[in-house]
C-alpha cells in the first residue's frame, strides 16, 4: 500500500520550509528513499518522508552541514549494522550544538547585564552618564 498522499505545499507548510527547500533536500540526497510522484509528475510524500524531513530540518536548524546530513541519510538508507557510525555522527553534532548553546548563554548574559545597567541608570536619571554613551 502506498501512503504517499501529501503534496509538496502541504509538507512545506507543516515543516516551515519552502517547496524549493524540499526540492533542494531531494537534489542533495538527504531523503531516505525516492520521492513518489503521481500520474501528473507531482511529488507526493508519505508520513515517513515527512517525519524524516523533520529530522533533517532540525539537524540543519542546529547547524549540521549538508554534507553531514547527507552522510547520515546514507547511513540510514544503507540500514545494516552501521548504528555505531550513526551514533558517533549524532554525538559529535550534539557536542557542537551544546557548545553553541553555551556560547549563546554567555552572550545572553552580557546582553542582560547591559539591559540591567541601562534600566537601573535610567531609573535613577543617570542616562547621560552611561559609559558607552556616544556623546
Amino acid at each position: 500500500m502506498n501512503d504517499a498522499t501529501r503534496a509538496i505545499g502541504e509538507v512545506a507548510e507543516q515543516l516551515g520550509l519552502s517547496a524549493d527547500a524540499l526540492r533542494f533536500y531531494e537534489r542533495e540526497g538527504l531523503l531516505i528513499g525516492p520521492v513518489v510522484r503521481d500520474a501528473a509528475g507531482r511529488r507526493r510524500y508519505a508520513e515517513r518522508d515527512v517525519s524524516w524531513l523533520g529530522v533533517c530540518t532540525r539537524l540543519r536548524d542546529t547547524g549540521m552541514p549538508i554534507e553531514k546530513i547527507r552522510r547520515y541519510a546514507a547511513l540510514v538508507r544503507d540500514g545494516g549494522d552501521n548504528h555505531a557510525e550513526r551514533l558517533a555522527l549524532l554525538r559529535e553534532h550534539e557536542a557542537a550544538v551544546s557548545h553553541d548553546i553555551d556560547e549563546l548563554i554567555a552572550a545572553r548574559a552580557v546582553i542582560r547585564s547591559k539591559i540591567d545597567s541601562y534600566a537601573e541608570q535610567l531609573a535613577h536619571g543617570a542616562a547621560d552618564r552611561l559609559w558607552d554613551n556616544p556623546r
Side-chain angles (χ1 to χ4, degrees):
M1 179 175 141
N2 184 346
D3 70 336
T5 60
R6 302 194 47 204
I8 193 168
E10 179 185 353
V11 173
E13 184 177 339
Q14 178 183 339
L15 296 173
L17 299 171
S18 67
D20 285 338
L22 291 177
R23 291 183 199 101
F24 171 79
Y25 278 27
E26 182 181 353
R27 278 193 314 275
E28 289 296 315
L30 304 184
L31 303 179
I32 299 301
V35 174
V36 172
R37 293 182 183 259
D38 64 15
R42 294 179 298 251
R43 290 167 175 84
R44 303 302 292 183
Y45 295 88
E47 287 305 315
R48 68 177 172 76
D49 298 324
V50 177
S51 177
W52 175 255
L53 284 163
V55 171
C56 290
T57 300
R58 287 296 183 189
L59 293 174
R60 193 74 186 119
D61 288 347
T62 57
M64 184 180 273
I66 292 294
E67 302 79 35
K68 284 193 176 187
I69 300 172
R70 187 183 304 120
R71 175 68 184 140
Y72 182 57
L75 290 168
V76 172
R77 224 180 353 262
D78 290 347
D81 193 20
N82 63 20
H83 289 83
E85 194 172 349
R86 293 185 218 180
L87 179 61
L89 188 146
L90 291 174
R91 280 186 172 158
E92 179 183 321
H93 185 62
E94 180 186 34
V97 169
S98 293
H99 177 266
D100 291 347
I101 289 170
D102 291 345
E103 291 294 314
L104 285 170
I105 289 170
R108 183 179 64 185
V110 170
I111 293 166
R112 281 187 176 167
S113 172
K114 296 304 295 175
I115 288 170
D116 292 346
S117 174
Y118 292 144
E120 182 179 331
Q121 291 182 42
L122 286 170
H124 291 91
D128 60 339
R129 292 181 296 195
L130 297 175
W131 68 269
D132 58 353
N133 191 335
R135 270 188 173 188

